[in-house]
Amino acid sequence: MGCVTNKEQDIKQFNIKLPDSYNHTTIQTEADLPDSQDQFLQIGMQVCSLGDFLPKVYEVYNELGELFQNIQGQYLLMPDQSIYFGQIVNGQRQGIGKQHWPKEGNLLEGTWIDNQLNGRARMIYPNGDYFVGNFLNNIANGLGKFVNSKKQVSGFWLNNKLTGEGTEIRKNGTIYKGQFSEGKIQGIGQFEYANKCIYRGNVCKGKMHGKGELIFNDNTRYIGEFKSNCIQGRGNYEATVSIAGWFHSKFENQTLFIYFFHSETPVLLDSQNCTLIEKKLEQFFD
């Protein structure tokens, strides 16, 4: 028996990286420039500014302020036509600086060692999303934070992917604290939902999934099995009395319907063989 939700949850993988090639939403940072780089890099000759920022990039940049104050240096016109301004040694990026891709719109501020991004850096994307964190040889490694219009995610990045303990704060009021794997909410964690319910237990792909405990906003609780954000499987429902058995749930019209069965049997949810528990909730678990 499945469960019905009011919408599918949009789960994104928060993997931060500097790709080998760029398109309209990603960028390229050269890991190893060719030996003939001096033929392509022009210091302070053809460029004298970073160019105009896209409106969203300009808005976020002004809101956050500069990552590094009072950067001094020179301009480099990079092989991919991006523009770098900052510290330079022997024609390569060395120290703090900024890099702007006028065509794509990305703006990068960071610290370079031997022409590779190493240390603290911040990338602002054309749509206003941004990531700030630590890099090792052009790869996000260490503490970081990713922010977009729907949520803010902070934690530890390992080889470009959010891994281990982290926190996700969604604009709809949901807060998650717990484990991430390969950039996704996965493992053991806790959700505090906007509907005032709290879930603790197993999570998978950003949802309640596996064994856990759901505390409702009326202080009753269900302890047992979940599947894709729905109560489904064997468990206990605890209110003035405790009942144990098999449960299914669905959400519609701002109401969570919980169906209780004394034995595991594939009967219809509207069958007289089940007991119905209703919970009024303004929002679903997302």
Side-chain angles (χ1 to χ4, degrees):
M1 186 71 64
C3 63
V4 179
T5 63
N6 60 339
K7 62 181 180 179
E8 287 296 322
Q9 189 174 13
D10 182 24
I11 302 299
K12 290 187 177 181
Q13 188 168 336
F14 295 98
N15 298 336
I16 307 300
K17 74 178 202 175
L18 306 178
D20 295 330
S21 60
Y22 64 86
N23 53 37
H24 291 295
T25 57
T26 59
I27 68 165
Q28 175 185 24
T29 294
E30 296 289 336
D32 296 294
L33 294 177
D35 293 336
S36 59
Q37 63 179 354
D38 289 338
Q39 299 176 15
F40 303 100
L41 302 181
Q42 302 177 47
I43 303 176
M45 295 175 61
Q46 293 188 0
V47 290
C48 57
S49 75
L50 289 173
D52 294 330
F53 299 159
L54 292 178
K56 282 286 187 180
V57 174
Y58 184 77
E59 179 183 341
V60 172
Y61 181 72
N62 282 340
E63 179 183 342
L64 297 176
E66 293 184 332
L67 185 63
F68 303 105
Q69 300 293 321
N70 302 318
I71 295 177
Q72 302 294 322
Q74 297 173 295
Y75 289 97
L76 286 179
L77 180 61
M78 305 299 290
D80 61 2
Q81 299 304 302
S82 63
I83 302 170
Y84 169 85
F85 175 76
Q87 297 172 337
I88 298 168
V89 175
N90 295 327
Q92 292 189 338
R93 296 164 294 183
Q94 183 80 13
I96 59 174
K98 303 177 185 179
Q99 192 164 349
H100 181 222
W101 283 256
K103 182 179 178 180
E104 290 74 31
N106 303 74
L107 175 63
L108 175 64
E109 302 164 83
T111 304
W112 280 264
I113 299 176
D114 295 331
N115 212 43
Q116 295 195 42
L117 201 58
N118 281 277
R120 191 162 179 79
R122 182 175 70 195
M123 173 74 77
I124 303 176
Y125 296 90
N127 60 0
D129 297 353
Y130 71 89
F131 173 79
V132 58
N134 291 294
F135 283 75
L136 178 64
N137 297 331
N138 282 352
I139 298 174
N141 275 286
L143 294 176
K145 179 173 70 174
F146 178 83
V147 178
N148 66 16
S149 61
K150 294 182 179 180
K151 60 191 71 179
Q152 170 182 306
V153 186
S154 57
F156 189 88
W157 267 258
L158 179 64
N159 295 330
N160 290 328
K161 297 181 179 181
L162 184 59
T163 303
E165 295 294 321
T167 300
E168 179 177 298
I169 302 174
R170 300 175 186 170
K171 292 295 178 65
N172 64 8
T174 297
I175 300 174
Y176 170 78
K177 297 179 180 178
Q179 296 176 337
F180 289 77
S181 177
E182 296 291 309
K184 298 179 180 180
I185 292 176
Q186 190 101 354
I188 303 294
Q190 172 178 299
F191 280 106
E192 296 178 17
Y193 293 103
N195 59 25
K196 307 303 181 184
C197 299
I198 298 174
Y199 172 82
R200 302 185 184 100
N202 291 98
V203 292
C204 180
K205 296 181 180 179
K207 299 181 180 181
M208 302 181 290
H209 192 90
K211 294 184 178 180
E213 174 187 21
L214 180 58
I215 304 171
F216 295 100
N217 52 14
D218 59 2
N219 290 323
T220 60
R221 70 184 63 204
Y222 167 81
I223 303 172
E225 297 175 334
F226 294 79
K227 184 176 181 180
S228 296
N229 268 1
C230 294
I231 293 171
Q232 186 170 337
R234 187 167 188 172
N236 294 336
Y237 176 77
E238 298 180 357
T240 53
V241 296
S242 178
I243 56 175
W246 282 262
F247 295 81
H248 297 273
S249 72
K250 67 177 182 179
F251 181 84
E252 58 184 22
N253 299 324
Q254 296 185 319
T255 303
L256 179 67
F257 297 93
I258 305 174
Y259 299 87
F260 164 67
F261 302 86
H262 291 284
S263 60
E264 186 175 22
T265 177
V267 296
L268 296 176
L269 293 184
D270 58 359
S271 168
Q272 295 180 355
N273 295 322
C274 70
T275 301
L276 176 62
I277 303 167
E278 296 185 23
K279 300 287 185 183
K280 286 292 184 180
L281 300 171
E282 293 183 359
Q283 294 178 310
F284 189 62
F285 305 100
D286 58 9

PDB file of all heavy atoms in Angstrom, residues 262-279:
ATOM      1  N   HIS A 262      -4.657  -3.899  12.518  1.00  0.00           N
ATOM      2  CA  HIS A 262      -4.168  -4.820  13.554  1.00  0.00           C
ATOM      3  C   HIS A 262      -3.240  -5.878  12.969  1.00  0.00           C
ATOM      4  O   HIS A 262      -2.368  -6.402  13.675  1.00  0.00           O
ATOM      5  CB  HIS A 262      -5.354  -5.493  14.262  1.00  0.00           C
ATOM      6  CG  HIS A 262      -6.155  -4.546  15.112  1.00  0.00           C
ATOM      7  ND1 HIS A 262      -5.722  -4.100  16.343  1.00  0.00           N
ATOM      8  CD2 HIS A 262      -7.354  -3.946  14.888  1.00  0.00           C
ATOM      9  CE1 HIS A 262      -6.619  -3.276  16.851  1.00  0.00           C
ATOM     10  NE2 HIS A 262      -7.623  -3.161  15.988  1.00  0.00           N
ATOM     11  N   SER A 263      -3.415  -6.201  11.710  1.00  0.00           N
ATOM     12  CA  SER A 263      -2.554  -7.196  11.074  1.00  0.00           C
ATOM     13  C   SER A 263      -2.170  -6.697   9.689  1.00  0.00           C
ATOM     14  O   SER A 263      -2.875  -5.882   9.076  1.00  0.00           O
ATOM     15  CB  SER A 263      -3.270  -8.544  10.958  1.00  0.00           C
ATOM     16  OG  SER A 263      -4.451  -8.414  10.174  1.00  0.00           O
ATOM     17  N   GLU A 264      -1.067  -7.195   9.217  1.00  0.00           N
ATOM     18  CA  GLU A 264      -0.583  -6.763   7.910  1.00  0.00           C
ATOM     19  C   GLU A 264      -1.387  -7.456   6.824  1.00  0.00           C
ATOM     20  O   GLU A 264      -1.300  -8.669   6.642  1.00  0.00           O
ATOM     21  CB  GLU A 264       0.903  -7.086   7.757  1.00  0.00           C
ATOM     22  CG  GLU A 264       1.511  -6.529   6.478  1.00  0.00           C
ATOM     23  CD  GLU A 264       3.011  -6.754   6.411  1.00  0.00           C
ATOM     24  OE1 GLU A 264       3.504  -7.659   7.103  1.00  0.00           O
ATOM     25  OE2 GLU A 264       3.679  -6.028   5.665  1.00  0.00           O
ATOM     26  N   THR A 265      -2.176  -6.665   6.107  1.00  0.00           N
ATOM     27  CA  THR A 265      -3.025  -7.239   5.074  1.00  0.00           C
ATOM     28  C   THR A 265      -3.275  -6.187   3.992  1.00  0.00           C
ATOM     29  O   THR A 265      -3.460  -5.015   4.308  1.00  0.00           O
ATOM     30  CB  THR A 265      -4.360  -7.736   5.660  1.00  0.00           C
ATOM     31  OG1 THR A 265      -5.176  -8.221   4.594  1.00  0.00           O
ATOM     32  CG2 THR A 265      -5.079  -6.607   6.384  1.00  0.00           C
ATOM     33  N   PRO A 266      -3.278  -6.559   2.733  1.00  0.00           N
ATOM     34  CA  PRO A 266      -3.442  -5.586   1.644  1.00  0.00           C
ATOM     35  C   PRO A 266      -4.900  -5.170   1.445  1.00  0.00           C
ATOM     36  O   PRO A 266      -5.469  -5.343   0.375  1.00  0.00           O
ATOM     37  CB  PRO A 266      -2.893  -6.344   0.440  1.00  0.00           C
ATOM     38  CG  PRO A 266      -3.203  -7.770   0.741  1.00  0.00           C
ATOM     39  CD  PRO A 266      -3.019  -7.917   2.230  1.00  0.00           C
ATOM     40  N   VAL A 267      -5.532  -4.629   2.477  1.00  0.00           N
ATOM     41  CA  VAL A 267      -6.925  -4.192   2.350  1.00  0.00           C
ATOM     42  C   VAL A 267      -6.959  -2.755   1.878  1.00  0.00           C
ATOM     43  O   VAL A 267      -5.968  -2.029   1.964  1.00  0.00           O
ATOM     44  CB  VAL A 267      -7.657  -4.319   3.703  1.00  0.00           C
ATOM     45  CG1 VAL A 267      -7.724  -5.766   4.133  1.00  0.00           C
ATOM     46  CG2 VAL A 267      -6.987  -3.454   4.762  1.00  0.00           C
ATOM     47  N   LEU A 268      -8.113  -2.321   1.393  1.00  0.00           N
ATOM     48  CA  LEU A 268      -8.273  -0.937   0.963  1.00  0.00           C
ATOM     49  C   LEU A 268      -8.283  -0.014   2.171  1.00  0.00           C
ATOM     50  O   LEU A 268      -8.727  -0.381   3.258  1.00  0.00           O
ATOM     51  CB  LEU A 268      -9.584  -0.777   0.177  1.00  0.00           C
ATOM     52  CG  LEU A 268      -9.681  -1.550  -1.139  1.00  0.00           C
ATOM     53  CD1 LEU A 268     -11.063  -1.378  -1.740  1.00  0.00           C
ATOM     54  CD2 LEU A 268      -8.616  -1.099  -2.114  1.00  0.00           C
ATOM     55  N   LEU A 269      -7.786   1.220   1.982  1.00  0.00           N
ATOM     56  CA  LEU A 269      -7.690   2.151   3.094  1.00  0.00           C
ATOM     57  C   LEU A 269      -9.041   2.523   3.669  1.00  0.00           C
ATOM     58  O   LEU A 269      -9.156   2.884   4.831  1.00  0.00           O
ATOM     59  CB  LEU A 269      -6.949   3.417   2.657  1.00  0.00           C
ATOM     60  CG  LEU A 269      -5.472   3.248   2.325  1.00  0.00           C
ATOM     61  CD1 LEU A 269      -4.856   4.595   2.015  1.00  0.00           C
ATOM     62  CD2 LEU A 269      -4.716   2.566   3.445  1.00  0.00           C
ATOM     63  N   ASP A 270     -10.092   2.467   2.864  1.00  0.00           N
ATOM     64  CA  ASP A 270     -11.416   2.815   3.373  1.00  0.00           C
ATOM     65  C   ASP A 270     -12.171   1.601   3.913  1.00  0.00           C
ATOM     66  O   ASP A 270     -13.368   1.658   4.176  1.00  0.00           O
ATOM     67  CB  ASP A 270     -12.243   3.498   2.285  1.00  0.00           C
ATOM     68  CG  ASP A 270     -12.405   2.629   1.033  1.00  0.00           C
ATOM     69  OD1 ASP A 270     -11.852   1.522   1.024  1.00  0.00           O
ATOM     70  OD2 ASP A 270     -13.095   3.080   0.094  1.00  0.00           O
ATOM     71  N   SER A 271     -11.461   0.493   4.102  1.00  0.00           N
ATOM     72  CA  SER A 271     -12.079  -0.719   4.615  1.00  0.00           C
ATOM     73  C   SER A 271     -12.463  -0.550   6.077  1.00  0.00           C
ATOM     74  O   SER A 271     -11.848   0.204   6.827  1.00  0.00           O
ATOM     75  CB  SER A 271     -11.121  -1.897   4.454  1.00  0.00           C
ATOM     76  OG  SER A 271     -11.590  -3.017   5.184  1.00  0.00           O
ATOM     77  N   GLN A 272     -13.492  -1.258   6.512  1.00  0.00           N
ATOM     78  CA  GLN A 272     -13.897  -1.215   7.909  1.00  0.00           C
ATOM     79  C   GLN A 272     -12.901  -1.931   8.807  1.00  0.00           C
ATOM     80  O   GLN A 272     -13.025  -1.884  10.042  1.00  0.00           O
ATOM     81  CB  GLN A 272     -15.288  -1.837   8.063  1.00  0.00           C
ATOM     82  CG  GLN A 272     -16.388  -1.063   7.347  1.00  0.00           C
ATOM     83  CD  GLN A 272     -17.755  -1.692   7.523  1.00  0.00           C
ATOM     84  OE1 GLN A 272     -17.891  -2.768   8.113  1.00  0.00           O
ATOM     85  NE2 GLN A 272     -18.787  -1.033   6.994  1.00  0.00           N
ATOM     86  N   ASN A 273     -11.922  -2.600   8.225  1.00  0.00           N
ATOM     87  CA  ASN A 273     -10.933  -3.328   9.013  1.00  0.00           C
ATOM     88  C   ASN A 273      -9.814  -2.442   9.522  1.00  0.00           C
ATOM     89  O   ASN A 273      -8.872  -2.930  10.148  1.00  0.00           O
ATOM     90  CB  ASN A 273     -10.330  -4.460   8.179  1.00  0.00           C
ATOM     91  CG  ASN A 273     -11.354  -5.511   7.831  1.00  0.00           C
ATOM     92  OD1 ASN A 273     -12.216  -5.837   8.643  1.00  0.00           O
ATOM     93  ND2 ASN A 273     -11.286  -6.038   6.611  1.00  0.00           N
ATOM     94  N   CYS A 274      -9.871  -1.144   9.262  1.00  0.00           N
ATOM     95  CA  CYS A 274      -8.813  -0.261   9.729  1.00  0.00           C
ATOM     96  C   CYS A 274      -9.390   0.882  10.558  1.00  0.00           C
ATOM     97  O   CYS A 274     -10.570   1.209  10.471  1.00  0.00           O
ATOM     98  CB  CYS A 274      -7.999   0.299   8.567  1.00  0.00           C
ATOM     99  SG  CYS A 274      -8.879   1.490   7.546  1.00  0.00           S
ATOM    100  N   THR A 275      -8.524   1.486  11.392  1.00  0.00           N
ATOM    101  CA  THR A 275      -8.884   2.618  12.228  1.00  0.00           C
ATOM    102  C   THR A 275      -8.231   3.868  11.652  1.00  0.00           C
ATOM    103  O   THR A 275      -7.051   3.839  11.297  1.00  0.00           O
ATOM    104  CB  THR A 275      -8.417   2.408  13.676  1.00  0.00           C
ATOM    105  OG1 THR A 275      -9.033   1.216  14.186  1.00  0.00           O
ATOM    106  CG2 THR A 275      -8.791   3.588  14.552  1.00  0.00           C
ATOM    107  N   LEU A 276      -8.962   4.954  11.556  1.00  0.00           N
ATOM    108  CA  LEU A 276      -8.462   6.180  10.953  1.00  0.00           C
ATOM    109  C   LEU A 276      -8.115   7.207  12.031  1.00  0.00           C
ATOM    110  O   LEU A 276      -8.908   7.478  12.931  1.00  0.00           O
ATOM    111  CB  LEU A 276      -9.494   6.772   9.996  1.00  0.00           C
ATOM    112  CG  LEU A 276      -9.165   8.121   9.358  1.00  0.00           C
ATOM    113  CD1 LEU A 276      -7.901   8.010   8.499  1.00  0.00           C
ATOM    114  CD2 LEU A 276     -10.336   8.623   8.535  1.00  0.00           C
ATOM    115  N   ILE A 277      -6.900   7.782  11.912  1.00  0.00           N
ATOM    116  CA  ILE A 277      -6.448   8.869  12.787  1.00  0.00           C
ATOM    117  C   ILE A 277      -6.178  10.072  11.879  1.00  0.00           C
ATOM    118  O   ILE A 277      -5.486   9.951  10.873  1.00  0.00           O
ATOM    119  CB  ILE A 277      -5.164   8.486  13.548  1.00  0.00           C
ATOM    120  CG1 ILE A 277      -5.387   7.210  14.363  1.00  0.00           C
ATOM    121  CG2 ILE A 277      -4.705   9.629  14.452  1.00  0.00           C
ATOM    122  CD1 ILE A 277      -4.097   6.601  14.888  1.00  0.00           C
ATOM    123  N   GLU A 278      -6.730  11.224  12.240  1.00  0.00           N
ATOM    124  CA  GLU A 278      -6.561  12.419  11.419  1.00  0.00           C
ATOM    125  C   GLU A 278      -5.752  13.476  12.155  1.00  0.00           C
ATOM    126  O   GLU A 278      -5.939  13.687  13.345  1.00  0.00           O
ATOM    127  CB  GLU A 278      -7.927  13.006  11.027  1.00  0.00           C
ATOM    128  CG  GLU A 278      -8.756  12.089  10.152  1.00  0.00           C
ATOM    129  CD  GLU A 278     -10.035  12.759   9.689  1.00  0.00           C
ATOM    130  OE1 GLU A 278     -10.084  14.009   9.673  1.00  0.00           O
ATOM    131  OE2 GLU A 278     -10.983  12.027   9.341  1.00  0.00           O
ATOM    132  N   LYS A 279      -4.826  14.137  11.400  1.00  0.00           N
ATOM    133  CA  LYS A 279      -4.007  15.214  11.943  1.00  0.00           C
ATOM    134  C   LYS A 279      -4.140  16.430  11.027  1.00  0.00           C
ATOM    135  O   LYS A 279      -3.826  16.354   9.844  1.00  0.00           O
ATOM    136  CB  LYS A 279      -2.533  14.812  12.019  1.00  0.00           C
ATOM    137  CG  LYS A 279      -2.245  13.594  12.887  1.00  0.00           C
ATOM    138  CD  LYS A 279      -2.382  13.920  14.358  1.00  0.00           C
ATOM    139  CE  LYS A 279      -1.973  12.721  15.206  1.00  0.00           C
ATOM    140  NZ  LYS A 279      -2.160  13.002  16.648  1.00  0.00           N
TER     141      LYS A 279
END
